[in-house]
Amino acid sequence: MNTNTARAKKRKSLHPQTIRVQHRLATQTKQGRKHWDLFRWLCDPFLLCDAIQRVIDNSGSAGLDGLGVEELKGKEWSYATKLSKQLKMKTYQPGPVRRVYIPKADGRERPLGIPNIEDRVVQTALLILLEPIYEQEFLPCSYGFRPNRRAVDCAADVANTVFKYRHVLDADIESFFDRVSHKKLIGMLKEQIVDPRILHLIHQILKTGFKEVNKPWQPTPEGTPQGGPLSPLLANIYLHYGLDKKVEDVKAQGLDIHLFRFADDFVIAARTKRDLDLASKWLNFWMREVKLTLKGSKTTRVNMKNRSRNHDAKFTFLGFKFHLRAFRDNPKRFWVARQPSEKARKQLHQALREKLLPHHTLEQARKLAKEIWLGWANYFRYSNANRVFYREVRSVHKALVRYLRRKYRQQRRPVAWRRLWPLLRSLKIGFRPVRVIPDLVRQKQVQIHLF
């Protein structure tokens, strides 16, 4: 099940009272009204019960309180009424998050904040309230962490736009989630939310601080903790006012550019080099306004013109590599193709190497390999990657050979390969290249999903 389908099922499972509240908030936002009494909806036990159910469905690790989602199962209503009373009596106080670090592909570590179970419920309830409001405000150029806005759709729209707008700026913000200004974020929230109780609660969540293993509590003067349910929405709000609307303003003044943003990664495509130069100057000014900086190593300008085709005429976005490919009937003209990037292919090889361990049984190894392969292939099938899929299926076969070698050959009495070939053939059953999905089919799927 993909992420959007899971989110859709969670929205359908909301209580009718919660759905009515969401429709009312969306309608008021469309009418241009600001929201001054959201806190009473936050205290609604039905909404809190829906938030608890989402927290249970999302699972996750325990925070500093050591409580897991198992503590909520079967006690949803009693926990919701108890939390509702705490919110009304103003005795609820968000606690610090537990900070852990996850490795990144470049060798560095990404900080991840895990809130307590109670804080996770309150943040999810805030998300249920704020999402229908800001979905009316967010622009079509924003794709990340939004319902019915998939990464593969963003990649396809980028490829179709770059076919006409061949001057591209591929940008990434330096440590975005750690550098969000709390003062500016609260000011942006006041554009729609004028309930001081909600703004104060969000400010408390931002200022809770964090704790690491065997270290004292540390404050958070800036940034939104990655790992909390509310953090992606706050990040989208920050960049909506700090970037998306600014691009729309300069487009209205005649600058011919297009922006595609997925969380803090974005691409700007321009028809001419002059327009891209102007957009780049404006971009540096906008980043300084919201106290952010671009990551120099990941911010590149690419010329995708036909006559400028060379090894550097490519860029990577959302795991896809965008590059020029010649038309069959006219080798002098090129179109923009998208395929899994070299980094994404290495991640597939690494996942197979790390997950297929000698202690796994043959059935466990086959199931693990199939899960890894289908998860990778079903994401990249929305591309022009037929040849890549044929190559990577062979990589899966090699990984299965490596698994058999480690399990049966690296021991005191290694098993002969003539006895292992039948096992390999049984493991390889079901591994075949995935058929790619053209853009027209993808657009029909999105329409069916939306309507």
Side-chain angles (χ1 to χ4, degrees), residues 170 337 361 426:
D170 179 19
T361 64
S426 65

Side-chain angles (χ1 to χ4, degrees), residues 297-350:
S297 60
K298 291 189 176 181
T299 301
T300 56
R301 298 179 60 170
V302 185
N303 186 352
M304 303 289 284
K305 284 284 194 180
N306 295 347
R307 61 178 178 273
S308 302
R309 183 175 185 251
N310 54 42
H311 182 72
D312 296 328
K314 62 181 180 182
F315 64 95
T316 302
F317 186 57
L318 300 178
F320 290 90
K321 180 181 72 172
F322 298 83
H323 60 102
L324 297 178
R325 181 180 290 179
F327 284 98
R328 291 183 178 180
D329 57 345
N330 189 352
K332 293 185 179 181
R333 293 184 63 246
F334 302 93
W335 58 285
V336 179
R338 62 188 184 280
Q339 293 179 341
S341 65
E342 287 79 5
K343 179 180 176 181
R345 295 169 69 176
K346 289 180 181 178
Q347 289 174 346
L348 171 65
H349 305 160
Q350 183 178 358

Side-chain angles (χ1 to χ4, degrees), residues 184-252:
K184 288 187 175 294
L185 178 57
I186 296 298
M188 294 170 181
L189 286 168
K190 289 180 180 178
E191 294 287 331
Q192 290 294 328
I193 312 299
V194 291
D195 188 337
R197 296 164 296 179
I198 292 290
L199 295 173
H200 178 66
L201 179 58
I202 294 176
H203 189 262
Q204 283 184 311
I205 292 172
L206 294 172
K207 294 291 186 180
T208 53
F210 64 92
K211 287 186 70 175
E212 300 179 19
V213 179
N214 299 325
K215 290 184 180 181
W217 173 84
Q218 299 182 49
T220 50
E222 59 182 6
T224 61
Q226 284 184 269
L230 192 60
S231 182
L233 178 64
L234 296 179
N236 269 335
I237 293 171
Y238 198 79
L239 288 177
H240 168 72
Y241 290 102
L243 178 63
D244 301 352
K245 290 193 70 174
K246 301 292 181 65
V247 172
E248 289 298 312
D249 292 341
V250 296
K251 284 178 66 176

